[in-house]
Amino acid sequence: MEAKGGGRDTASIVAAAWQRHTVVPAFNIPYLPMMAPTVQALRDTDSFGLIMVARLEWVKFAAKSPEEVAGEYWRIGDRAHTRLHLDHVPVIDEDHLRVDYVDDISRALDAGYESVMVDASRLPLDENIAATRLIAGMAHARGAAVEGELGAVMGHESGPMPSYEELFASGKGFTDPGEAARFVRETGVDWLSVAVGSVHGAISSATRHEKKIEARLNIGRLGEIQAATGVPLVLHGGTGIRKECVLDAVRHGIAKINIATATRQPYERFINESLAKAQRAVYDAAVRVLREDLETAGNAGVLATCHGGAASGRTT
Ligand code: 13P
């Protein structure tokens, strides 16, 4: 299908990545000047990626608003290499407060976001399904793709994190394949964000500069979720996961991976010296992620322009 802003629509692009066992990186923009070097890195490596902002980035960082990010995107976004996505709009946020998520998401759709994530994962399953189904209906009616989340990808919460080793060994909060099948069937989401061992980079001002732990992934669990759901899966907390785990995850259903800390920390490290240095640091970090970590260099042509075979089924 044709996207409103021109070119192939985002659901077809992510479906094409999923079928071809490659991945669409989605880069967060917590500071508006990060967008230009991120787009440039995608263009220079000929990778296809999403440019995105999460609610917490206009509340706790300097993205200002979904409209500001969209305005910058529609000015400099490169349609051969990017689309605009709305990341985490939580129903209950990381400070355990209720959010007017329907209003945030409809504002973003008005501003031209082409896919949206509603994150109701802090709610019980039935309520998560109800909130996600509501947004799926609303976004699909406007031609936008929808991502939901099931399971607990930790890291954004205020307060101390449990030990990673304990978390990984116990599988606490990991997505359950049976629940995932029901969630996808009853909500109509295009993509499902899963919890299989990754964690978000910290965002509190006390901890946001710390180096992330090297996460691992439970590929067996991921394969079960993929078999149960049959839709493209999304990996959050994409910074600092062991490389062989990421590439294996892409072979087991991950078609979109979210990256924030890998480009945000270099920006914050250099911004007090100069904007040019900070933007250069973002560019270098994004190129490294694309070329070395995700190996997506050169995949833009095939994802953004090929026709046919989208949306349903893939050979595993
Ligand atoms: P990282 O900060 O680990 O890159 O995670 C980003 C993310 O998942 C945003 O939704």
Side-chain angles (χ1 to χ4, degrees):
M1 239 171 88
E2 181 85 358
K4 272 181 289 191
R8 207 172 188 213
D9 73 54
T10 313
S12 305
I13 290 169
V14 171
W18 181 60
Q19 286 162 346
R20 287 162 194 270
H21 297 247
T22 180
V23 69
V24 174
F27 288 98
N28 287 87
I29 307 294
Y31 304 94
L32 289 176
M34 287 177 60
M35 196 187 300
T38 304
V39 171
Q40 190 66 41
L42 287 160
R43 186 184 297 124
D44 290 351
T45 58
D46 196 27
S47 299
F48 194 90
L50 303 183
I51 297 296
M52 67 182 184
V53 67
R55 178 180 178 272
L56 65 86
E57 290 166 328
W58 71 77
V59 173
K60 296 188 172 167
F61 290 85
K64 296 187 182 166
S65 69
E67 289 85 359
E68 289 267 358
V69 174
E72 179 75 347
Y73 177 78
W74 292 112
R75 206 170 60 75
I76 66 165
D78 168 344
R79 302 295 291 169
H81 296 93
T82 66
R83 293 288 181 274
L84 180 63
H85 173 69
L86 183 70
D87 190 23
H88 291 276
V89 171
V91 175
I92 307 278
D93 75 8
E94 59 285 353
D95 301 317
H96 313 290
L97 301 172
R98 281 243 157 216
V99 172
D100 190 351
Y101 65 102
V102 176
D103 186 61
D104 280 348
I105 292 173
S106 66
R107 273 172 58 199
L109 291 168
D110 288 345
Y113 284 75
E114 306 172 272
S115 52
V116 298
M117 181 199 190
V118 55
D119 175 6
S121 64
R122 291 190 182 93
L123 296 175
L125 179 62
D126 285 342
E127 291 172 51
N128 186 351
I129 289 174
T132 306
R133 186 169 49 211
L134 175 72
I135 296 300
M138 188 173 115
H140 285 158
R142 303 185 58 175
V146 177
E147 174 183 340
E149 178 165 299
L150 187 64
V153 181
M154 308 289 282
H156 280 168
E157 277 70 14
S158 37
M161 264 269 288
S163 121
Y164 180 75
E165 288 310 322
E166 272 172 39
L167 200 75
F168 191 77
S170 69
K172 190 164 168 278
F174 282 17
T175 307
D176 175 83
E179 289 186 358
R182 182 180 158 212
F183 183 87
V184 167
R185 201 171 51 241
E186 295 186 12
T187 59
V189 287
D190 300 271
W191 317 320
L192 177 68
S193 162
V194 294
V196 289
S198 62
V199 290
H200 287 113
I203 53 156
S204 78
S205 42
T207 54
R208 64 172 68 157
H209 304 294
E210 287 173 7
K211 188 171 170 9
K212 274 191 76 179
I213 47 100
E214 188 188 55
R216 305 192 299 283
L217 301 173
N218 184 330
I219 300 293
R221 174 66 70 96
L222 182 64
E224 289 170 31
I225 299 166
Q226 176 65 120
T229 57
V231 295
L233 304 177
V234 179
L235 190 60
H236 282 241
T239 299
I241 302 171
R242 199 177 281 179
K243 178 172 173 174
E244 66 264 24
C245 289
V246 174
L247 297 182
D248 212 6
V250 172
R251 289 188 286 270
H252 288 83
I254 294 294
K256 168 175 174 283
I257 182 167
N258 284 14
I259 311 283
T261 308
T263 49
R264 172 180 57 76
Q265 286 185 339
Y267 182 88
E268 290 171 334
R269 195 169 309 130
F270 286 101
I271 191 59
N272 289 336
E273 289 184 39
S274 80
L275 177 60
K277 274 194 184 172
Q279 287 184 309
R280 179 76 213 188
V282 171
Y283 175 83
D284 290 345
V287 167
R288 216 168 21 250
V289 165
L290 296 165
R291 272 199 217 292
E292 293 169 26
D293 299 344
L294 303 180
E295 302 182 353
T296 57
N299 75 5
V302 77
L303 295 184
T305 57
C306 63
H307 294 285
S312 64
R314 89 169 186 164
T315 44
T316 30

